[in-house]
C-alpha cells in the first residue's frame, strides 16, 4: 500500500499529471494540492512507472525519464491509493487533460474509472479575469505572471498547487466560492460535498 501523507477533510483537491509521451495513459507523475477550509494547501506528488518509453519532448518538459521512475509504483497501485481521498471532494484540474489521462490510464490497465467530481480551474479563471482573454490567456504560464504565483511549471505537484492557488485567488477577487463562480442559473445540484466547517453544492 502506498502511504499518502495527507490529512482530510479538504474543501477541494487540485490534481495534475505528467505523461511519458504523447499517449494520455502514459502517466509518469501525479500531484495533489489539498485545500482545507482555511486556505492551507497540503501538496503531495508521486512518481509513476508508466511501463512505456519516454519521448524526448516530454522529458525535456518535466525532466522525468525512465531512470527517474525505475522502481516506482505503476498506475493501478497509485490510483488505488489516491482515489478514495479524491472521491471525497471536488477535484480541480487546469483544463480537461488530467481527467482524460486518468480515464485513459484506467482503460489501458482494465480498471474502472473512479467516480470523481471534476472542476476546471481554467473556467474559474476565465470568469474571474475575463480581461485576460486575448491578453495572455488563462493558461498557468500567463497566470503565474499575472497573479504573481511561485511554482515550477511541468512538475505535477507544483502545477497542482498552482491550480489550487488560481482558485483561491479567484475566490478572493470575486468574493464568491468557486462553486458560486461556476454556478449556472437554474442548475441542479444533487451532490453536496462538505468538510468540517463549510458546505458546497457543486454545479452541473
Amino acid at each position: 500500500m502506498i502511504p499518502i501523507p495527507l490529512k482530510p477533510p479538504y474543501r477541494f483537491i487540485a490534481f495534475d499529471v505528467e505523461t511519458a509521451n504523447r499517449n494520455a495513459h502514459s502517466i509518469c507523475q501525479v500531484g495533489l494540492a489539498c485545500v482545507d477550509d482555511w486556505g492551507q494547501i497540503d501538496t503531495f506528488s508521486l512518481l509513476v512507472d508508466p511501463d512505456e518509453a519516454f519521448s524526448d519532448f516530454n522529458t525535456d518538459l518535466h525532466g522525468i525519464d525512465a531512470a527517474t521512475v525505475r522502481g516506482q509504483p505503476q498506475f493501478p497501485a497509485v490510483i488505488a491509493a489516491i482515489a478514495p481521498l479524491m472521491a471525497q471532494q471536488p477535484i480541480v484540474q487546469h483544463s480537461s487533460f488530467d481527467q482524460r489521462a486518468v480515464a485513459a490510464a484506467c482503460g489501458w490497465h482494465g480498471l474502472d474509472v473512479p467516480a470523481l467530481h471534476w472542476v476546471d480551474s481554467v473556467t474559474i479563471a476565465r470568469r474571474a479575469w475575463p480581461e485576460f482573454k486575448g491578453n495572455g490567456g488563462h493558461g498557468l504560464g500567463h497566470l503565474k505572471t499575472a497573479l504573481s504565483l511561485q511554482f515550477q511549471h511541468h512538475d505535477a505537484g507544483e502545477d497542482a498547487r498552482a491550480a489550487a492557488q488560481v482558485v483561491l485567488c479567484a475566490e478572493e477577487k470575486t468574493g464568491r466560492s468557486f462553486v458560486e463562480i461556476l454556478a449556472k442559473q437554474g442548475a441542479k445540484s444533487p451532490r453536496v460535498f462538505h468538510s468540517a466547517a463549510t458546505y458546497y453544492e457543486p454545479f452541473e
Side-chain angles (χ1 to χ4, degrees):
M1 187 68 176
I2 300 170
I4 307 296
L6 299 170
K7 299 178 180 179
Y10 294 109
R11 185 159 67 93
F12 66 88
I13 292 178
F15 179 77
D16 186 80
V17 304
E18 300 294 336
T19 58
N21 53 53
R22 65 185 298 174
N23 297 325
H25 66 256
S26 65
I27 294 173
C28 62
Q29 187 186 34
V30 300
L32 294 84
C34 308
V35 182
D36 67 16
D37 291 312
W38 298 272
Q40 174 70 37
I41 304 176
D42 295 333
T43 305
F44 172 74
S45 64
L46 187 67
L47 291 168
V48 183
D49 181 358
D51 196 26
E52 286 203 7
F54 281 76
S55 73
D56 291 340
F57 176 81
N58 289 55
T59 294
D60 287 343
L61 279 180
H62 50 54
I64 302 170
D65 59 17
T68 310
V69 300
R70 189 171 296 122
Q72 298 298 323
Q74 294 190 352
F75 179 79
V78 171
I79 197 65
I82 64 177
L85 170 65
M86 294 175 68
Q88 296 179 42
Q89 60 279 295
I91 302 299
V92 170
Q93 58 180 333
H94 203 74
S95 83
S96 63
F97 176 76
D98 306 287
Q99 180 180 3
R100 288 188 284 114
V102 168
C106 286
W108 183 258
H109 291 280
L111 305 173
D112 292 334
V113 180
L116 305 176
H117 180 75
W118 293 93
V119 173
D120 189 354
S121 54
V122 173
T123 302
I124 294 171
R126 285 173 178 162
R127 296 186 181 182
W129 298 281
E131 65 272 19
F132 292 165
K133 182 178 180 180
N135 185 29
H138 297 87
L140 284 181
H142 178 248
L143 293 175
K144 178 179 182 178
T145 300
L147 304 180
S148 300
L149 305 180
Q150 302 295 320
F151 68 99
Q152 179 183 340
H153 204 5
H154 298 301
D155 173 271
E158 292 276 304
D159 283 354
R161 185 177 184 87
Q165 290 175 324
V166 167
V167 173
L168 293 175
C169 287
E171 290 181 327
E172 182 177 4
K173 180 179 186 292
T174 62
R176 303 163 66 197
S177 74
F178 74 89
V179 175
E180 293 171 325
I181 294 171
L182 290 168
K184 297 178 182 179
Q185 187 173 5
K188 297 179 181 178
S189 301
R191 299 177 67 193
V192 177
F193 294 86
H194 62 87
S195 57
T198 55
Y199 290 78
Y200 291 96
E201 295 185 358
F203 75 107
E204 283 189 336

